[in-house]
């Protein structure tokens, strides 16, 4: 049980005697995800591309990643989206906005950014450097790296629990 007699949680009815910390983590994930989503959407708007959702922003960044064309299944896998329809909708939206293009090879469509999409990501990076990265200093980076690794481990636990819940 947590050393804190009053953990900060969003759902006190879910606090388990096995781990109050898990409820604290889940609340932290909720507020962090919402803050990150708001940030990414507003950063992209400041970069000159308003009206994108968080999924659109993430997909645009991913199709720019390492200058390799990406197919829908790979995008979903890397971003851990189970619903391909959500990502497919974002891809269509990005194509319509002139930020991405899909090239059909056999039965597969491979997506890549257009020049406009690449420019949007460059501007996003500039805004990110100015508004966010200026707050990140030295020793904080080690903690950020640890937290990133921990969150990847936790995503595996949640994925495993989701599979188990699906079989109940």
């Amino acid at each position: 049980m947590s050393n804190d007699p009053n953990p900060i949680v969003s759902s006190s009815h879910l606090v388990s005697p096995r781990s109050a910390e898990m409820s604290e983590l889940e609340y932290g994930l909720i507020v962090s995800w919402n803050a990150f989503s708001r940030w990414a959407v507003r950063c992209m708007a400041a970069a000159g591309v308003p009206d994108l959702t968080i999924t659109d922003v993430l997909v645009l960044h991913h199709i720019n990643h390492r200058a390799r064309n990406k197919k829908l299944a790979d995008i979903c896998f890397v971003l851990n989206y189970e619903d391909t329809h959500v990502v497919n909708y974002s891809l269509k939206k990005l194509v319509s906005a002139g930020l991405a293009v899909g090239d059909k090879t056999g039965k597969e469509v491979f997506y890549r950014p257009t020049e406009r999409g690449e420019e949007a990501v460059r501007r996003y990076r500039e805004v990110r450097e100015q508004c966010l990265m200026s707050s990140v200093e030295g020793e904080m980076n080690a903690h950020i790296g640890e937290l990133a690794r921990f969150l990847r481990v936790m995503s595996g636990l949640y994925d495993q629990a989701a599979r188990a819940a699906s079989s109940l």
Side-chain angles (χ1 to χ4, degrees):
M1 193 75 170
S2 175
N3 293 335
D4 186 349
N6 298 308
I8 299 173
V9 300
S10 66
S11 304
S12 60
H13 60 279
L14 295 178
V15 176
S16 171
R18 291 181 178 177
S19 177
E21 293 84 357
M22 185 64 92
S23 292
E24 289 183 283
L25 172 67
E26 289 171 348
Y27 181 60
L29 290 171
I30 291 165
V31 297
S32 294
W33 171 252
N34 288 320
F36 172 74
S37 297
R38 186 171 40 257
W39 152 252
V41 166
R42 290 185 183 164
C43 184
M44 189 57 81
V49 186
D51 303 322
L52 295 184
T53 66
I54 182 59
T55 301
D56 303 335
V57 173
L58 295 175
V59 170
L60 180 59
H61 283 301
H62 186 61
I63 64 171
N64 272 273
H65 179 60
R66 297 191 180 174
R68 292 186 192 137
N69 296 353
K70 313 285 189 319
K71 59 185 178 178
L72 175 63
D74 294 335
I75 296 167
C76 291
F77 178 75
V78 170
L79 297 179
N80 203 16
Y81 273 79
E82 190 172 38
D83 190 351
T84 59
H85 300 293
V86 172
V87 174
N88 195 41
Y89 180 77
S90 282
L91 287 165
K92 287 180 181 182
K93 189 173 171 182
L94 294 170
V95 168
S96 293
L99 298 167
V101 64
D103 300 315
K104 191 163 184 160
T105 304
K107 292 182 180 181
E108 296 284 352
V109 178
F110 290 84
Y111 293 91
R112 60 182 168 79
T114 60
E115 285 185 32
R116 183 167 180 252
E118 290 174 347
E119 180 58 28
V121 170
R122 275 193 292 277
R123 288 192 312 267
Y124 182 102
R125 181 186 169 126
E126 290 169 6
V127 173
R128 182 176 183 264
E129 287 292 325
Q130 179 184 351
C131 297
L132 180 64
M133 299 311 293
S134 61
S135 301
V136 178
E137 300 292 332
E139 190 177 307
M140 188 179 206
N141 286 321
H143 296 299
I144 291 169
E146 278 181 48
L147 179 58
R149 287 183 288 280
F150 176 75
L151 288 173
R152 287 191 300 273
V153 167
M154 291 306 299
S155 73
L157 292 178
Y158 279 106
D159 281 341
Q160 183 178 15
R163 285 190 297 277
S166 294
S167 68
L168 295 179

